[in-house]
Amino acid sequence: MKLIKYISLFLILLTTGIASAQIKFEAKVSKTKLGVNERLRVDFEMNKDGDNFNPPDFENFTVIGGPNTSVSNSWVNGVRSFSKTYSYFLAPKRQGKFSIKQATIEIDGETYKTQVVTVEITSAVERPNDPDNAINVADDNIHLVAEISKTNPYLNEAITVVYKLYVSPNTGVSNWREIDNPKFNDFWSQNIDMKGVKVENGTYKGEDYRFVVLRKTVLYPQKTGKLEIEPLSLDLTVEVPTNRRDIFGGRLMTQVHKTVSAGSNTITVKPLPEEGKPDNFTGAVGKFDFKITTSKTTLNATESLQARVEVSGNGNLKLFQLPKLTLPSSLEVYEPEHAENVNTNLNGMQGNISDSYTIVPQFKGKYPIPNVSFSYFDLETGTYKTMSSGEIIIDVLEGPTNNSNSDNNFASTGAEKQKVVLSTNQFAFIKSDPNLTSIQPSYFFKSTWFWTALFAPLLAIPLAIVFRKKKAERDADVFGNKVRKADKLARKYLSEAKKALGQKEAFYIALEKALHNYLKAKLYIETSDLSKDKIKSLLLEKGVDESSVIEFNSILKNCELARYTPITNVEMQNDYEKAASTISVIDKQMN
């Protein structure tokens, strides 16, 4: 008997050990050697389902897809076969040998780890020219281009960089994200605000393409010589046609991930010519006007006036200093207030900059503001231009007489002058409102707040009764509540559709629900009655013109077809804007 017990115990332990040993959790890669321009697929595969899956950090790769989960469950001759896989798609960041570290998972209360996998990343490889390969098709039909307005500008001359993504007519892009942003070292740069992305038709290398402008940037080079414009890189999800077709005969699409780069560009910056450069030149480059104006030319002593030094035009307005005023020492001059009113577009900076001086004369007499000159480099003629303001006389009519002959002494607005921050009131230190307060203490008892707190609850009782009555009437209005609920759902789903832009299926489901609930609220019909003919007849009866009805039905049709056809982000944005505008038009026309 004892022998039988030992044998049974041994068989149980052996069976348990074999069952435990049968659990597998492995890491598999699509290839162990690949070019830096290729993609790597990593599968973490297990033969029994588990919990708390933790992937490695993929520190030397960019994750461009995943995790995608696939499960296989089959029975063969009464034996169950199970497999579950987490798949990732990776883009190498650089060349070298890198390890894909261990992933972990919990199965039956125990933690399992994959083995470390090493892959070698080589320089870019040339892919075989296979027309049926989706990656090759994407490479041949998607291009990111940086268009530079000028490659040999002067120092501080504006140039523009426009990034365009070209897409051939038979492919599409459903999503993109920036992975490398140019930093524009040695340039003053500003991005131009763009409202939305507009699809346009154009040509690329002599062939018809669609394109979108992704970014516009204005650059002002701050160094001479060869300067590099770093590339913009994008990770794209590309819709590529396959040889398979759906039940309607339409070509099915497949998605592939692709990284595109505009490439690095080099420009040669020319120094400004030394010949003819004025002594007062401070770096202004462009086309400018210069003037000095004063708020008044006659006043009394101790009164103030404003002198404004202004440069306006097109050029590097934010990148040079305005000339300083030089005034007689009998005029008290405060530190200038600098102002900029500059817009930046593809032509560069446009607008004006100014320094406003507050001047206070101390004595009676006539005081000149001497002629001030301003120089700039004119890009049109390639020469330096100098402009002068002319002399301005300040006539102080009343005040003490200056007997020190200091009128002939001039003082520039240097560091020895008092620095002040200007406001609309130059003498705000004179207190015109005493703000007197009572010395008698105030008490809460019998105060205004006391009586308000006492009687407010009594006044609230009739308001509560009226509110309750109105609420009961509203709750009893079953038909009205259904209409209001449908209207509320329409607004909710239209908001959800806007949030889901970029996610095709979720976007069109939400948009379709919004349109249906809008019709239920406005036409008082149920979902089961929503046929195109009935919608058309009811809207026409309500006074809506036929073009708006056709537009509304076309949006509903797009919602139905979009689930079976490839749709880009731009097309989704267009459908959303079209739905919102059509609903607005119908609201205005409906009786």
Side-chain angles (χ1 to χ4, degrees):
M1 290 295 293
K2 288 183 177 181
L3 180 61
I4 293 173
K5 287 183 179 180
Y6 288 138
I7 293 173
S8 300
L9 181 60
F10 174 75
L11 290 174
I12 291 172
L13 293 173
L14 182 62
T15 303
T16 304
I18 291 172
S20 176
Q22 287 177 343
I23 294 177
K24 293 182 180 179
F25 181 46
E26 301 174 315
K28 299 179 179 179
V29 294
S30 57
K31 54 179 71 176
T32 57
K33 186 175 181 179
L34 65 154
V36 73
N37 60 331
E38 293 186 288
R39 301 293 174 264
L40 178 69
R41 173 173 173 161
V42 182
D43 294 333
F44 298 100
E45 186 177 319
M46 64 204 75
N47 62 352
K48 190 171 183 179
D49 202 0
D51 300 311
N52 300 324
F53 170 71
N54 289 312
D57 57 10
F58 303 118
E59 60 182 347
N60 295 301
F61 300 86
T62 300
V63 179
I64 59 175
N68 298 334
T69 307
S70 61
V71 177
S72 173
N73 202 350
S74 61
W75 290 86
V76 179
N77 297 327
V79 179
R80 178 175 178 264
S81 175
F82 176 85
S83 175
K84 184 175 182 180
T85 305
Y86 293 96
S87 300
Y88 290 83
F89 297 89
L90 310 178
K93 293 181 179 178
R94 55 184 180 276
Q95 300 179 35
K97 284 190 176 183
F98 305 114
S99 296
I100 297 174
K101 297 178 181 178
Q102 295 175 316
T104 62
I105 197 168
E106 292 182 10
I107 302 176
D108 294 339
E110 294 189 23
T111 300
Y112 291 83
K113 298 180 179 180
T114 61
Q115 73 278 19
V116 175
V117 180
T118 301
V119 295
E120 182 181 355
I121 310 300
T122 65
S123 58
V125 299
E126 206 174 311
R127 296 193 183 102
N129 188 17
D130 181 4
D132 296 326
N133 185 292
I135 296 178
N136 289 348
V137 173
D139 287 343
D140 294 338
N141 291 274
I142 307 290
H143 310 280
L144 180 62
V145 177
E147 296 183 354
I148 301 173
S149 61
K150 194 170 186 179
T151 57
N152 61 336
Y154 279 106
L155 182 70
N156 268 314
E157 179 182 358
I159 62 172
T160 58
V161 183
V162 179
Y163 294 95
K164 294 182 179 179
L165 181 65
Y166 286 89
V167 182
S168 68
N170 62 333
T171 57
V173 175
S174 59
N175 195 14
W176 69 76
R177 65 182 180 90
E178 295 184 0
I179 54 178
D180 282 328
N181 296 320
K183 297 181 179 59
F184 302 119
N185 296 324
D186 302 321
F187 294 91
W188 182 95
S189 64
Q190 181 167 327
N191 291 328
I192 306 298
D193 289 335
M194 298 175 56
K195 297 180 179 179
V197 177
K198 181 181 178 182
V199 179
E200 302 178 58
N201 293 320
T203 59
Y204 178 78
K205 294 186 176 179
E207 297 184 10
D208 291 334
Y209 272 78
R210 296 168 297 163
F211 72 89
V212 292
V213 177
L214 299 179
R215 180 187 286 190
K216 299 177 181 178
T217 305
V218 175
L219 303 177
Y220 283 88
Q222 300 299 293
K223 286 175 58 178
T224 59
K226 293 185 181 296
L227 301 183
E228 181 184 3
I229 298 178
E230 297 178 353
L232 171 68
S233 298
L234 304 175
D235 176 61
L236 308 174
T237 302
V238 185
E239 303 278 350
V240 178
T242 67
N243 292 325
R244 297 177 293 123
R245 298 185 180 270
D246 57 23
I247 59 175
F248 303 105
R251 190 180 293 273
L252 294 175
M253 310 289 279
T254 186
Q255 287 188 344
V256 296
H257 289 276
K258 174 178 171 58
T259 299
V260 293
S261 176
S264 178
N265 293 275
T266 301
I267 66 169
T268 303
V269 181
K270 299 179 292 187
L272 298 176
E274 292 297 325
E275 183 180 354
K277 180 185 289 187
D279 294 335
N280 66 342
F281 178 71
T282 59
V285 176
K287 188 73 172 178
F288 302 107
D289 288 322
F290 171 69
K291 63 181 179 180
I292 295 179
T293 57
T294 58
S295 60
K296 60 181 81 171
T297 56
T298 59
L299 71 165
N300 296 327
T302 71
E303 292 182 352
S304 66
L305 65 92
Q306 300 287 323
R308 178 183 172 93
V309 180
E310 180 181 347
V311 171
S312 59
N314 185 350
N316 60 333
L317 285 164
K318 297 182 179 181
L319 303 176
F320 61 84
Q321 290 185 341
L322 290 169
K324 299 293 184 182
L325 285 184
T326 302
L327 300 171
S329 59
S330 297
L331 299 177
E332 184 67 33
V333 186
Y334 293 87
E335 190 71 18
E337 179 182 359
H338 185 73
E340 294 180 353
N341 180 22
V342 179
N343 295 318
T344 305
N345 55 33
L346 287 181
N347 294 319
M349 299 185 208
Q350 294 179 339
N352 63 76
I353 59 173
S354 64
D355 283 342
S356 294
Y357 296 84
T358 297
I359 302 173
V360 182
Q362 302 298 316
F363 302 100
K364 179 181 178 180
K366 293 183 181 293
Y367 301 94
I369 297 179
N371 177 61
V372 179
S373 61
F374 168 73
S375 298
Y376 69 93
F377 182 74
D378 189 348
L379 292 169
E380 293 182 1
T381 61
T383 59
Y384 292 96
K385 298 289 180 69
T386 299
M387 309 176 72
S388 298
S389 64
E391 185 180 72
I392 301 173
I393 302 297
I394 305 298
D395 189 3
V396 182
L397 302 176
E398 295 182 6
T401 303
N402 183 9
N403 297 319
S404 64
N405 296 322
S406 60
D407 292 353
N408 297 323
N409 299 324
F410 289 85
S412 64
T413 57
E416 72 279 0
K417 289 294 180 182
Q418 178 184 0
K419 295 183 179 180
V420 296
V421 178
L422 297 183
S423 65
T424 55
N425 184 358
Q426 304 302 322
F427 302 101
F429 60 89
I430 300 175
K431 191 171 185 179
S432 58
D433 185 2
N435 296 330
L436 300 176
T437 58
S438 175
I439 61 173
Q440 295 293 330
S442 60
Y443 300 99
F444 177 71
F445 182 66
K446 292 187 178 181
S447 66
T448 303
W449 285 108
F450 170 80
W451 296 114
T452 302
L454 183 64
F455 291 109
L458 298 176
L459 295 174
I461 291 173
L463 294 176
I465 294 172
V466 173
F467 175 78
R468 187 173 180 179
K469 185 178 179 181
K470 292 292 183 182
K471 185 176 184 301
E473 292 176 358
R474 186 183 179 93
D475 292 341
D477 184 11
V478 178
F479 179 76
N481 286 336
K482 287 179 68 176
V483 172
R484 283 188 288 272
K485 183 178 180 182
D487 192 40
K488 184 178 180 182
L489 285 173
R491 291 196 302 271
K492 173 187 173 185
Y493 286 120
L494 198 60
S495 175
E496 288 183 0
K498 187 174 183 180
K499 294 177 183 176
L501 281 169
Q503 306 171 32
K504 183 178 75 173
E505 188 169 349
F507 169 77
Y508 281 103
I509 289 174
L511 186 61
E512 189 174 27
K513 287 182 178 178
L515 297 175
H516 284 175
N517 280 286
Y518 173 76
L519 292 175
K520 288 166 66 177
K522 296 298 180 182
L523 303 179
Y524 316 126
I525 59 176
E526 297 298 327
T527 305
S528 57
D529 297 330
L530 291 173
S531 67
K532 289 184 174 62
D533 293 335
K534 189 163 186 177
I535 291 169
K536 182 176 181 180
S537 63
L538 288 174
L539 288 175
L540 291 174
E541 289 175 8
K542 293 286 186 178
V544 180
D545 63 44
E546 190 171 356
S547 62
S548 299
V549 177
I550 294 172
E551 186 73 17
F552 191 91
N553 278 331
S554 72
I555 300 169
L556 283 173
K557 184 178 179 181
N558 286 354
C559 292
E560 296 170 2
L561 296 178
R563 302 176 189 175
Y564 311 103
T565 57
I567 299 293
T568 65
N569 285 357
V570 175
E571 291 170 319
M572 280 189 272
Q573 179 71 36
N574 289 340
D575 282 342
Y576 173 80
E577 292 175 356
K578 193 185 296 181
S581 63
T582 303
I583 287 174
S584 176
V585 170
I586 292 175
D587 268 339
K588 294 175 182 177
Q589 296 177 352
M590 191 175 292
N591 296 327

